[in-house]
Amino acid sequence: MCQQNPGETVRIVPGAEEAHRKVIFVLSTGKSNSKMEQTSDEIDEMFSNLLGEMDMLTQSLEVETFQLSSPKESTKEFNFSVGFKDLNGLVTMEQQEAQAKTDKIKLALEKLKEAKVKKLVVKVHMNDNSTKSLMVDERQVARDVLDNLFEKTHCDCKVDWCLYEVYPELQIERFFEDHENVVEVLSDWTRDSENKMLFLEKNEKYAVFKNPQNFYLANKGKNESKEMNEKNKEALLEESFCGASVIVPELEAALYLKEDGKKSWKRRYFLLRASGIYYVPKGKTKTSRDLACFIQFENVNIYYGTQYRVKYKAPTDHCFVLKHPQIQKESQYIKYLCCDDQWTLHQWVTGIRIAKYGKTLYDNYKRAVQRAGLAARWTSLGIVEPAVSTGSSSTGAAQANGQIHHASKEFSEAPKQAEIAKEKRPNVVNNSSSAQPVIRPQKPEAKQALQPPPPPQRRSSATVSSPCLPSKAKRGSTASLSDPISFPAPPPDMGSDLPPPPPDFYEPPPDFVPPPPPSFSNSTGDLAPPLPPPPPPPPASVTSKPLPLTRKPGPPAPKRQENTGQVGETKSTGVEGGQLDFMSDLRKALNKKRGDNTS
Amino acid sequence: MPPHFSDSPEATACYRMLSLSQAGPSPETVMKSPRPGSLVEKGQINSRWLDSSLSLMTQDVQKDDELWLRFKYYTFFDLDPQYDTVRMTQLYEQARWALLLEETDCTEEETVLFAALQYHIEKLSLSTDPTDPSGDAPTLDDLDSALSSLEVKLEGGTAPTDMLENLTAIPELRETLRVFRPRKLTLKGFKPHWVVFKETSLSCYRSPEEALGEPVQQLNLKGCEVVPDVNLSGGKFCIKLLVPSREGMSEVHLRCEDEKQYARWMGACRLAARGRTMADSTYRAEVQNILTFLQQQRAGSTSGPTPSPSPAPDGAGPTWLFPPRYQKRFKPKQLTPRVLEAYQNVAQLSLTEAKMRFLKAWQALPDFGITYFVVRFKGSRRDEVLGIAPGRLLRIDLAVGDVVKTWRFSSMRQWNVNWDSRQVAIEFDEHINVAFAVVSAGCKVLHEFLGGYIFLSTRARPGPGPGPVPDEQLFHKLTGGHEAL
């Protein structure tokens, strides 16, 4: 089995080898940056990673190379032909060739861009304390990630769902705006960050579009919410967001400002304008010319501050924070403001978002509504299809986003597979299984231990910290031992993986899986189609419907363990730079092994 | 060009004239022009609108009389710079004067942005023809330019290594600069360092010899704030960098010897802050813009090509870009670096973009588009101010200037005018009735504003291309008053 992979590499064109080397390099640096406590087992493990990686690349390149040779090669070829032509002076030929060359180069440059795409394995916390890992690539915005999550969680796809970042250290949190690039935001987090990404519903996110009158027509100082008919709402939104420039709600209030480096809070009169937040200096009036600029929004994000009464002795717990997204530690450059009540806070945060993002916010909302509507439609249509996919599911399972849809496998089969996987692995890489149990036991633990904010879990350090189970696993890496360990997990896992599936979700036949988005299949033998990194999210609820029941605890188990154990530092933060497609690669390798075993 | 402008050479000339923005006024003109000091004064001008349902002669306009042409309604329906160069330019002029004459109030920060945009527009107006759309030709995206440069290289038949280098090599800066890193409890002192600017990051070394080793400090400028700290007469060319990091911001000041060095480094910093390198095609323009700005400031401040060492009083400087209030508050040398800073953020805009940006920023001001009338509400004993803005009516306290109440056009049912008693009664949804007498202007003017905004709100949403022809009859019906009947 071990030999099989290298065997495949041989088939790769020279240029592809380059690519391999690159990947390997990235991997190893990632490794050396992580934990120093790595032993030779881990090197073995790493090796198996690489095998998986190469495996995948082989497949992708085999296909791609038909269309073009590697960039480097093509340019070389190019020069040769130019020299040749200079001698001959064939004009028409030259023109034709030049055209062909341009096309080639274009393709090559595009491929270069593609190859550079950065991907992260991200751990997203669900609102029931479970987590999901998914692959996010550099080009995906929060909307894409949400769509992926909709697919995985079979939730109702309502507009209120959002990605939510939480900084435990600073006690701040905020939702991602749908147009924000997720990888960009996450790459600001520190390596050992305790920051988390959540997937939850926040009605504040789009409240302004549901009831614009509460923000645009509210009487100063009054928090009553008014009714308005839909037509007027639309007109108001149209007026506020679709004019030549977006209208920022007029806000002014006395807020508390935390003084730099002190624990005291000073009351000042603040005003919101499109160009920033201003305050009225002492002894001045609130006319425009007298206002002093407090902050402009270009370089800062807005966050909610939580529990600031305790942390900073704030007058109330209704605080918001403005800081540069890159700042991760306490600093004088973070601005803390405190409002009298929740409603004022809500108005200010919303107003600032409108001032900062403008019409984009409205576009995001419209897209979210569209998405929610689409989902609703699909749910009503989806019942027809189930029969289609039973057989195909095992092949179509691995998505580029790192999620396995082992949907169609029967319950009884799942454990077996896991066993097989376990048995096989020791042959390939003696110790890879040692890493596996690490995460498994942690799940149930986490479940029991906490309900409120899950403690920052560091996956990697779990090896050290979760005492008994991992060690047990290490002692005996045989199948019989590791199996019981990994099995207790499934039942809770099952519950936790699906946030709130409406009861009727359980009704449709379980063994349906949507046609896989273009991605690698699990079966290694096939030529996989070229991989377009961000999988076009297939229509939501087609997938979401049937999956709940079929989501087997078994198959995902090895995958997740693999990922966490081997990557070694995919923490709860989930941010890991170079650790590309581990999950899917490993899965692939695993499946291959499985396949070999059964055949 | 719209068809009615291409009829005759005169019309064409007129079109060209109207699409050009005028040269900036001198600070004295602005200072001398009457500026409204209060809401009442702002309201006074509204008594002078001519009646749109009567001919000019009926209103006693004689030959050689001078009239002002102004946009009356502040909804710029369907403004598309492609079809509407004249309207855009004239709106820009109106906006600029409204700001310079303090008709629209704004804050210091906003004023600086407007000043920078004005400067930029002025500069571009001299060099580009606004009626020529090719002035705004889209720039090639980097893939295309990369390809074309690659092709040029290939045709030239240069050595392959050279070609690859040219494709990938990014220019660098390596010079000795005086560097200051503010820390707590350190005295201010610039020390010469060997500074290397590579891609988007900056590395400081003690000497060129040490450049192979570890830098004293290395900063990636992506996303950083770049603040110019320039004093022309003092010969000070400083760049302040505020670089965000995980722990907060690190601050570094770079001090350059002269304008040229400053422009080189500043350009690099600006681009790096936007995540681009000096290989970017805009780098040259960036540097050139900075140099031109500085030279113009100098020309404005002192005569002669070299800076005079004596602290000669700066002349105009950038003051003509500011309303008198700020001209008085700040010295020119205080304004210069601020305009420079804001200018760098807009210097890459085309003429059209810059004008549109100016209009947008103007429209985003809270005071934008409000037409004031002094009125007396029914049952009230004192004068108050009624503000009419696109989409809403405001009741404003005359003494404090606060908005007391807002009504929206969308909830307006009907309005009636009693021409004899100069009373206006408006009925809104939910049986809200408002009645007032107009004090500062004729009823007809106010009536035209109400009718005009209602008319504008009936127009369909703008689609691509020139909008539909407005229904003139409806307009007159809504604004005409009893004359129309």
Side-chain angles (χ1 to χ4, degrees):
Chain A
M1 181 146 323
C2 221
Q3 272 86 34
Q4 198 183 352
N5 288 327
E8 275 174 17
T9 22
V10 177
R11 274 188 266 140
I12 304 170
V13 271
E17 261 173 18
E18 279 287 312
H20 275 261
R21 222 169 290 142
K22 206 191 242 168
V23 170
I24 291 164
F25 176 72
V26 169
L27 287 178
S28 50
T29 39
K31 240 1 196 196
S32 60
N33 280 343
S34 57
K35 300 261 161 185
M36 292 316 291
E37 48 187 57
Q38 283 166 353
T39 54
S40 56
D41 330 330
E42 261 155 313
I43 292 172
D44 282 354
E45 227 172 272
M46 223 170 84
F47 193 61
S48 77
N49 273 340
L50 294 184
L51 289 184
E53 186 76 23
M54 292 169 70
D55 196 5
M56 189 193 65
L57 262 170
T58 319
Q59 290 177 16
S60 65
L61 284 163
E62 269 170 357
V63 179
E64 283 168 18
T65 41
F66 290 121
Q67 301 153 2
L68 92 164
S69 38
S70 84
K72 210 178 169 188
E73 212 185 61
S74 68
T75 46
K76 241 187 244 159
E77 185 181 77
F78 207 11
N79 295 324
F80 272 100
S81 51
V82 168
F84 179 68
K85 229 140 291 146
D86 282 345
L87 290 174
N88 284 319
L90 294 172
V91 184
T92 49
M93 275 278 285
E94 218 170 83
Q95 278 171 345
Q96 273 178 5
E97 296 237 332
Q99 183 57 41
K101 276 173 221 156
T102 329
D103 292 346
K104 262 190 188 169
I105 297 174
K106 224 170 208 173
L107 251 175
L109 284 175
E110 261 156 34
K111 284 289 163 192
L112 267 177
K113 266 185 194 165
E114 191 103 320
K116 271 194 213 157
V117 169
K118 189 160 128 196
K119 285 175 200 146
L120 294 179
V121 176
V122 176
K123 184 144 287 168
V124 181
H125 294 247
M126 305 289 135
N127 49 6
D128 60 355
N129 290 324
S130 65
T131 60
K132 281 199 185 304
S133 298
L134 71 161
M135 185 77 69
V136 179
D137 93 35
E138 183 168 46
R139 296 166 299 188
Q140 284 180 309
V141 295
R143 182 74 252 162
D144 303 324
V145 177
L146 281 178
D147 287 349
N148 274 349
L149 280 163
F150 284 171
E151 214 173 290
K152 287 179 165 213
T153 58
H154 337 298
C155 69
D156 54 16
C157 305
K158 288 229 174 83
V159 294
D160 290 338
W161 285 102
C162 55
L163 284 181
Y164 203 71
E165 62 173 327
V166 177
Y167 290 57
E169 192 179 336
L170 293 168
Q171 293 186 13
I172 56 173
E173 52 194 50
R174 66 161 197 137
F175 29 75
F176 282 67
E177 302 299 346
D178 287 355
H179 65 278
E180 277 182 281
N181 183 306
V182 175
V183 169
E184 217 165 82
V185 175
L186 294 183
S187 48
D188 287 335
W189 293 7
T190 49
R191 209 157 248 284
D192 56 346
S193 173
E194 290 178 359
N195 297 359
K196 278 184 297 189
M197 186 144 83
L198 273 48
F199 173 61
L200 39 65
E201 279 181 286
K202 280 278 170 189
N203 135 57
E204 288 92 341
K205 188 180 179 190
Y206 287 129
V208 65
F209 301 109
K210 292 179 192 158
N211 285 302
Q213 73 279 9
N214 292 343
F215 297 86
Y216 281 96
L217 308 179
N219 289 335
K220 262 166 216 162
K222 288 185 195 157
N223 339 339
E224 91 262 83
S225 66
K226 288 189 281 186
E227 287 305 310
M228 194 184 212
N229 67 41
E230 288 303 317
K231 204 179 129 227
N232 285 347
K233 280 182 192 175
E234 215 164 280
L236 182 58
L237 286 177
E238 176 89 19
E239 183 187 314
S240 311
F241 285 93
C242 302
S245 72
V246 167
I247 297 173
V248 175
E250 275 177 46
L251 283 179
E252 47 180 87
L255 306 176
Y256 298 94
L257 167 67
K258 184 175 176 292
E259 295 187 78
D260 285 345
K262 290 189 212 156
K263 281 209 169 167
S264 63
W265 294 72
K266 199 176 192 177
R267 201 163 169 87
R268 273 188 186 283
Y269 201 78
F270 287 93
L271 293 97
L272 178 68
R273 295 169 74 101
S275 58
I277 298 179
Y278 293 79
Y279 65 89
V280 182
K282 233 183 187 170
K284 295 284 178 77
T285 63
K286 58 178 193 185
T287 48
S288 306
R289 68 198 91 136
D290 285 339
L291 295 178
C293 187
F294 170 64
I295 202 165
Q296 296 187 299
F297 305 125
E298 217 164 69
N299 294 318
V300 293
N301 277 348
I302 179 148
Y303 303 79
Y304 292 99
T306 54
Q307 306 277 316
Y308 272 16
R309 261 210 290 209
V310 180
K311 187 176 169 80
Y312 291 124
K313 292 192 176 144
T316 74
D317 266 335
H318 314 293
C319 298
F320 67 91
V321 170
L322 293 154
K323 73 161 186 73
H324 193 290
Q326 266 174 277
I327 300 178
Q328 302 286 313
K329 304 256 159 68
E330 269 191 55
S331 139
Q332 53 164 325
Y333 297 96
I334 303 180
K335 306 286 182 201
Y336 306 89
L337 287 156
C338 178
C339 311
D340 283 336
D341 51 53
Q342 188 61 37
W343 175 246
T344 318
L345 173 67
H346 185 24
Q347 276 186 316
W348 275 84
V349 173
T350 308
I352 292 167
R353 286 168 62 219
I354 295 173
K356 182 171 167 66
Y357 301 110
K359 184 154 187 287
T360 315
L361 224 47
Y362 191 35
D363 295 339
N364 287 346
Y365 171 69
K366 285 196 276 196
R367 209 175 145 195
V369 169
Q370 216 177 13
R371 185 65 178 75
L374 197 72
R377 223 177 27 246
W378 273 110
T379 332
S380 54
L381 287 176
I383 306 157
V384 198
E385 282 147 299
V388 186
S389 49
T390 326
S392 70
S393 63
S394 62
T395 42
Q399 296 204 353
N401 63 12
Q403 172 71 10
I404 296 187
H405 293 285
H406 281 282
S408 72
K409 279 172 189 138
E410 280 110 87
F411 250 107
S412 54
E413 199 190 331
K416 251 187 251 155
Q417 281 195 332
E419 261 181 64
I420 289 160
K422 295 262 160 52
E423 282 167 359
K424 279 269 105 174
R425 192 164 341 210
N427 298 341
V428 189
V429 181
N430 349 358
N431 238 306
S432 59
S433 63
S434 70
Q436 286 176 11
V438 170
I439 224 56
R440 257 310 153 198
Q442 217 188 1
K443 278 246 144 147
E445 263 172 33
K447 284 239 125 206
Q448 296 153 4
L450 45 105
Q451 267 331 338
Q457 309 168 354
R458 304 196 175 192
R459 263 31 175 153
S460 57
S461 56
T463 335
V464 191
S465 63
S466 62
C468 47
L469 290 174
S471 58
K472 217 201 260 170
K474 270 210 169 112
R475 251 175 270 135
S477 58
T478 57
S480 55
L481 245 181
S482 51
D483 271 349
I485 292 160
S486 51
F487 274 98
D493 188 40
M494 192 166 160
S496 61
D497 267 358
L498 356 145
D504 53 310
F505 271 161
Y506 287 104
E507 283 163 29
D511 33 5
F512 160 68
V513 153
S519 65
F520 294 106
S521 61
N522 270 2
S523 50
T524 24
D526 313 352
L527 273 189
L531 171 74
S541 53
V542 182
T543 53
S544 60
K545 257 258 279 315
L547 282 178
L549 235 200
T550 58
R551 169 147 313 229
K552 290 295 160 29
K559 166 205 74 184
R560 193 165 304 169
Q561 293 161 357
E562 287 286 291
N563 171 40
T564 46
Q566 300 199 346
V567 166
E569 44 167 37
T570 314
K571 306 169 184 90
S572 49
T573 71
V575 182
E576 230 4 272
Q579 324 279 358
L580 303 172
D581 274 26
F582 281 173
M583 294 217 301
S584 48
D585 314 343
L586 286 165
R587 216 179 311 124
K588 224 153 284 144
L590 224 160
N591 277 319
K592 187 186 294 172
K593 280 156 213 157
R594 256 183 231 148
D596 288 347
N597 194 48
T598 47
S599 62
Chain B
M1 193 184 297
H4 51 275
F5 275 120
S6 50
D7 289 346
S8 63
E10 291 83 31
T12 314
C14 194
Y15 175 77
R16 297 186 67 85
M17 192 185 74
L18 288 173
S19 359
L20 266 178
S21 45
Q22 304 298 303
S26 74
E28 293 77 37
T29 344
V30 175
M31 279 290 196
K32 267 187 253 159
S33 310
R35 281 167 282 129
S38 66
L39 288 182
V40 177
E41 281 177 45
K42 282 183 189 175
Q44 268 160 4
I45 194 165
N46 292 319
S47 63
R48 303 193 341 231
W49 290 102
L50 290 177
D51 192 325
S52 37
S53 35
L54 299 176
S55 73
L56 292 183
M57 273 173 81
T58 343
Q59 300 180 66
D60 262 354
V61 178
Q62 308 293 327
K63 206 183 168 211
D64 294 332
D65 272 359
E66 204 171 275
L67 292 177
W68 282 359
L69 185 66
R70 288 293 139 89
F71 291 92
K72 188 168 174 180
Y73 304 107
Y74 292 89
T75 31
F76 310 141
F77 181 81
D78 199 15
L79 178 62
D80 184 337
Q82 247 195 309
Y83 303 99
D84 266 345
T85 322
V86 169
R87 181 151 73 126
M88 183 187 63
T89 309
Q90 294 308 313
L91 273 173
Y92 162 71
E93 287 296 324
Q94 186 165 334
R96 168 159 79 158
W97 280 98
L99 291 162
L100 283 178
L101 297 180
E102 296 166 15
E103 280 162 26
T104 318
D105 256 342
C106 57
T107 64
E108 214 175 290
E109 285 69 24
E110 288 153 359
T111 315
V112 171
L113 173 67
F114 286 124
L117 282 168
Q118 273 188 77
Y119 169 81
H120 185 56
I121 291 167
E122 197 98 337
K123 194 177 138 232
L124 287 179
S125 300
L126 293 176
S127 56
T128 45
D129 180 359
T131 55
D132 177 16
S134 66
D136 288 339
T139 48
L140 292 171
D141 66 55
D142 37 6
L143 179 65
D144 276 340
S145 55
L147 278 173
S148 60
S149 75
L150 181 63
E151 266 198 301
V152 168
K153 280 290 153 200
L154 287 170
E155 302 309 325
T158 40
T161 49
D162 188 30
M163 177 190 81
L164 277 177
E165 248 169 45
N166 268 300
L167 197 67
T168 53
I170 295 164
E172 295 173 14
L173 291 175
R174 298 166 179 275
E175 286 176 69
T176 301
L177 299 177
R178 280 178 293 161
V179 178
F180 170 57
R181 286 174 291 151
R183 295 256 163 76
K184 270 181 189 163
L185 305 170
T186 42
L187 293 170
K188 191 154 181 156
F190 283 88
K191 286 193 185 135
H193 278 81
W194 178 249
V195 190
V196 176
F197 204 112
K198 198 174 180 182
E199 297 190 19
T200 60
S201 59
L202 189 82
S203 319
C204 302
Y205 304 90
R206 282 204 182 76
S207 65
E209 292 75 42
E210 278 181 36
L212 291 173
E214 282 285 299
V216 181
Q217 187 167 25
Q218 188 165 31
L219 295 165
N220 188 348
L221 301 190
K222 208 168 165 182
C224 80
E225 269 180 70
V226 186
V227 185
D229 181 9
V230 175
N231 187 337
L232 285 170
S233 48
K236 179 181 172 196
F237 299 97
C238 242
I239 304 169
K240 279 189 196 168
L241 298 171
L242 263 179
V243 189
S245 65
R246 282 161 178 153
E247 289 74 30
M249 300 270 190
S250 8
E251 206 174 331
V252 174
H253 299 196
L254 305 175
R255 186 155 185 169
C256 304
E257 285 307 312
D258 55 24
E259 281 173 32
K260 284 197 179 133
Q261 191 179 41
Y262 170 81
R264 266 200 308 273
W265 284 84
M266 192 61 173
C269 290
R270 306 277 326 166
L271 282 178
R274 279 182 257 138
R276 299 198 225 146
T277 66
M278 281 177 276
D280 197 275
S281 53
T282 56
Y283 176 64
R284 274 176 157 211
E286 191 92 40
V287 171
Q288 199 49 49
N289 278 334
I290 296 167
L291 274 177
T292 331
F293 182 85
L294 290 177
Q295 274 153 14
Q296 289 201 355
Q297 292 316 305
R298 171 153 305 155
S301 63
T302 49
S303 51
T306 50
S308 61
S310 63
D314 281 5
T319 48
W320 55 273
L321 300 164
F322 285 85
R325 181 182 298 137
Y326 291 104
Q327 288 185 24
K328 283 180 206 152
R329 197 186 290 179
F330 298 104
K331 292 185 190 115
K333 71 171 179 197
Q334 287 174 299
L335 293 176
T336 306
R338 298 195 63 180
V339 178
L340 183 58
E341 184 190 349
Y343 170 61
Q344 280 153 356
N345 290 322
V346 299
Q348 69 282 0
L349 299 179
S350 74
L351 183 58
T352 309
E353 285 167 344
K355 282 180 183 167
M356 290 302 277
R357 178 82 184 274
F358 193 97
L359 289 177
K360 267 189 186 169
W362 181 45
Q363 284 169 280
L365 296 174
D367 285 352
F368 162 80
I370 307 177
T371 312
Y372 300 96
F373 295 92
V374 178
V375 298
R376 183 164 300 183
F377 282 92
K378 198 175 172 183
S380 170
R381 292 221 186 118
R382 55 200 168 86
D383 285 351
E384 280 170 90
V385 173
L386 180 77
I388 303 185
R392 64 199 201 277
L393 293 172
L394 310 163
R395 181 173 181 171
I396 302 168
D397 188 303
L398 187 53
V400 191
D402 273 356
V403 175
V404 182
K405 180 97 184 110
T406 307
W407 303 279
R408 305 183 50 73
F409 278 119
S410 59
S411 62
M412 192 192 282
R413 288 251 169 109
Q414 57 166 326
W415 79 101
N416 294 299
V417 182
N418 183 330
W419 303 102
D420 301 323
S421 62
R422 311 217 317 170
Q423 297 261 352
V424 180
I426 308 174
E427 188 193 334
F428 294 97
D429 284 348
E430 292 160 10
H431 309 292
I432 299 167
N433 287 293
V434 180
F436 50 83
V438 192
V439 178
S440 68
C443 267
K444 181 66 182 13
V445 177
L446 194 129
H447 175 70
E448 273 193 31
F449 269 98
L450 292 177
Y453 276 126
I454 298 277
F455 169 75
L456 288 170
S457 67
T458 63
R459 298 187 69 172
R461 277 220 58 195
V469 180
D471 180 353
E472 229 171 289
Q473 230 174 348
L474 179 63
F475 176 77
H476 284 301
K477 206 172 149 193
L478 282 166
T479 60
H482 58 333
E483 285 95 345
L485 306 170

